[in-house]
Each structure stands twice: as structure tokens, then as C-alpha cells.
Amino acid sequence: MSNQDIAVPLIFFSSVVILIGLILAYQLLKKRWFIQLVDKHNDMQPESIRVVGRLFFSSKNDLRKGIFLLVVSLAIWGFSFMVDFRTGGNLDLNTGLNGIALFPCLAGIAYLILFYVERDK
């Protein structure tokens, strides 16, 4: 096995881990900002805290995330269908890309469901 055979999956999966880490770090930072805001203004009424919390953590974010993840999965699927990879080994790359595209697709559907459930409340 050559270095090129290892480098491509290593770079791909490392970038996925880094992207997930950045998303989680942003969410943690956003929660800390909200807590600092509430701590800074001790005289806030509970209703105003709820309104600010809705702005920070609104269900519109679920709609945006869902649509974005569905677009990402459709882009991966479109790439897989447009480019015809040769089957040189045991794994057909088109099938692998379709499997990878399934993850953001299902996550996007889950976010859309969360948006519509939260909207009905």
C-alpha cells in the first residue's frame, strides 16, 4: 500500500472531524455568550430572558441546517452520478459516495422534522 492510498481517506476523514469540531465549538461559544449576557444583566425579567433565548436558539436554525445538509447530500449524489468512476477494486466509488451522501441527507431530514415539530408548539 502506497502513501497515496492512505493519504486521501486520511485527509477526507480528518476534514470531517475538524468540521464537526468547529461546529461544536461554535455551539459552545454561543451558549457561553448567552450565559454571559444573562449574568451581565441580572435585572432581566424571565420573559425577556426567554425572548433573547429564542433569538439565540431559534428553530429557524433547524430549518437552515436541514436545508443546507440536504443541499450538501444532493451535491454529493449529483457528483457521484455525473462522474463515472472505474471499478478498480472491491469497492465501487459511486456506491461509496452515495453512502456518504446519505448521512447529511438523513441529518437534514431530522433537522426539518425538528423545525416543524418546534413550530407547532
Side-chain angles (χ1 to χ4, degrees):
M1 199 173 235
S2 69
N3 289 338
Q4 288 179 336
D5 293 338
I6 296 172
V8 173
L10 181 68
I11 291 170
F12 174 76
F13 289 114
S14 298
S15 65
V16 169
V17 169
I18 290 170
L19 180 66
I20 290 172
L22 288 173
I23 291 170
L24 291 175
Y26 173 70
Q27 289 176 350
L28 179 66
L29 188 62
K30 191 166 67 167
K31 288 177 185 176
R32 285 185 181 172
W33 285 339
F34 179 69
I35 291 171
Q36 286 175 356
L37 178 74
V38 171
D39 286 343
K40 183 188 257 187
H41 302 284
N42 290 333
D43 57 343
M44 288 178 72
Q45 299 296 325
E47 184 61 33
S48 61
I49 293 174
R50 260 187 237 111
V51 169
V52 172
R54 283 190 195 127
L55 289 175
F56 266 86
F57 311 106
S58 72
S59 63
K60 289 181 184 176
N61 292 335
D62 290 338
L63 178 65
R64 290 178 186 153
K65 288 178 194 175
I67 290 174
F68 176 74
L69 288 171
L70 286 176
V71 167
V72 167
S73 66
L74 290 174
I76 294 172
W77 273 330
F79 175 74
S80 173
F81 288 122
M82 295 295 283
V83 178
D84 187 27
F85 294 105
R86 287 186 238 158
T87 313
N90 296 333
L91 176 68
D92 182 22
L93 199 52
N94 286 330
T95 307
L97 283 174
N98 289 336
I100 290 171
L102 196 58
F103 289 110
C105 179
L106 294 178
I109 291 171
Y111 276 121
L112 291 175
I113 290 171
L114 285 173
F115 170 75
Y116 287 113
V117 167
E118 189 69 30
R119 188 178 73 171
D120 291 339
K121 288 185 177 180

